[in-house]
Amino acid sequence: MTQALFILWRESAEALLVIGILHAWLRQGVDATHKLRWLWAGVAAGTLMALAFAAALLGLFSALPEGAIEQMQLAMMLLASGLIVHMVGWMRQQGGQMKHALQQDVAKRAGPGIALLAALAIAREGTETVVFLYGLGLGQQSAGQLGLTALLAVVLAMLTYWLLQQGGRWLHWRHFFRLSETLLLLLGGALLLAAAEKMTMLGWLPTLVDELWDSSWLLDDASRAGNLLASFTGYRAHPALSPLLALLGYWGLVWAWLGRGRHAR
């Protein structure tokens, strides 16, 4: 559940950032109380939209025959991996202007428009979280376990947001995004490698070489530390060749795309 805790923490912190920017801007303007009501209405609507999306996916998984669940899970893993890379690239390109863009957008809107802006922003964060969690295979976990993880993640996100609001004394936004982006990209690679392994098990992808090396003497991926490393980086003590090539291709594409975006800026 460490992966789920990280995803929920990171996405909750980003949602708090968006709400915080809108709240601080609206509070300074004319008719602040009325506009803030529309803001919180939009936050509630966005949350409901994300929950509806999660319920729809859960219903879809429940309706699928047993053989199709594996294929749907594979699709979610690939989608989550690609979405992570896209999200990190978007944040690197737009993150520096996000506050200014949100303030400009909300300044042009009346009450319902403010609610719509907030709802879409929260719904986007929520649906991304749902895709990531289903990609991690957590749609089959108990509701109680996921609920406790979500509660802990929200508490940690609120603490993180408070630390970030202290003027960089304890934690700076730049460091938060850089660290979380790095962990997200590592997780995206681990998801892609797990998807490639699933494709080899389904017979869709040849292993090429079943076992390139055995590093279990150094760190077994079945141990607690090895499993944590495997969850976030794709480490394998007995890697097959084709999933490893998929992971190398992933990092090559990440380096080329993010490096191109940095050069363009």
Side-chain angles (χ1 to χ4, degrees):
M1 297 297 289
T2 308
Q3 295 168 309
L5 180 62
F6 165 69
I7 288 293
L8 287 164
W9 163 73
R10 201 272 181 190
E11 294 300 300
S12 298
E14 189 172 331
L16 286 174
L17 167 63
V18 173
I19 296 170
I21 291 172
L22 295 175
H23 185 274
W25 181 259
L26 291 172
R27 193 174 56 184
Q28 298 171 4
V30 179
D31 199 13
T33 303
H34 177 70
K35 290 180 178 178
L36 286 173
R37 286 186 190 138
W38 282 107
L39 170 66
W40 294 120
V43 170
T47 304
L48 289 175
M49 288 165 65
L51 290 174
F53 179 67
L57 270 184
L58 180 62
L60 177 60
F61 268 89
S62 302
L64 288 174
E66 186 174 348
I69 292 178
E70 285 286 323
Q71 299 173 16
M72 186 65 179
Q73 178 66 35
L74 174 61
M76 295 300 294
M77 292 166 75
L78 293 171
L79 177 60
S81 180
L83 186 58
I84 283 174
V85 178
H86 177 269
M87 185 178 69
V88 170
W90 183 88
M91 282 301 299
R92 288 200 175 187
Q93 292 174 5
Q94 306 294 331
Q97 294 83 33
M98 184 171 67
K99 180 177 180 180
H100 183 63
L102 280 171
Q103 289 175 343
Q104 279 193 324
D105 202 357
V106 77
K108 303 173 190 173
R109 295 174 182 262
I114 294 170
L116 180 61
L117 177 64
L120 292 177
I122 299 304
R124 181 177 67 84
E125 299 296 336
T127 51
E128 284 177 353
T129 303
V130 171
V131 170
F132 294 155
L133 293 179
Y134 271 91
L136 292 170
L138 298 176
Q140 302 170 9
Q141 298 292 324
S142 68
Q145 192 175 18
L146 275 177
L148 287 174
T149 304
L151 179 61
L152 178 58
V154 170
V155 171
L156 289 174
M158 292 174 69
L159 176 60
T160 302
Y161 182 75
W162 180 82
L163 291 172
L164 290 166
Q165 291 297 100
Q166 303 309 303
R169 189 182 349 173
W170 303 105
L171 182 62
H172 196 278
W173 282 108
R174 185 180 304 164
H175 300 149
F176 164 74
F177 278 113
R178 186 59 55 88
L179 174 62
S180 62
E181 283 173 2
T182 301
L183 290 174
L184 276 172
L185 289 173
L186 287 170
L187 181 59
L191 279 169
L192 182 65
L193 184 136
E197 289 176 333
K198 189 177 286 288
M199 284 191 279
T200 62
M201 288 189 290
L202 291 172
W204 296 357
L205 186 69
T207 58
L208 299 180
V209 178
D210 289 337
E211 185 177 319
L212 283 174
W213 62 72
D214 180 1
S215 57
S216 58
W217 61 272
L218 181 63
L219 181 62
D220 191 347
D221 54 21
S223 67
R224 181 172 297 183
N227 182 260
L228 180 62
L229 187 64
S231 298
F232 274 96
T233 67
Y235 168 75
R236 296 293 185 270
H238 309 273
L241 179 56
S242 56
L244 188 60
L245 289 175
L247 182 61
L248 291 173
Y250 166 86
W251 282 112
L253 289 173
V254 166
W255 178 83
W257 188 44
L258 296 184
R260 181 185 63 185
R262 184 168 58 248
H263 178 69
R265 291 196 307 276

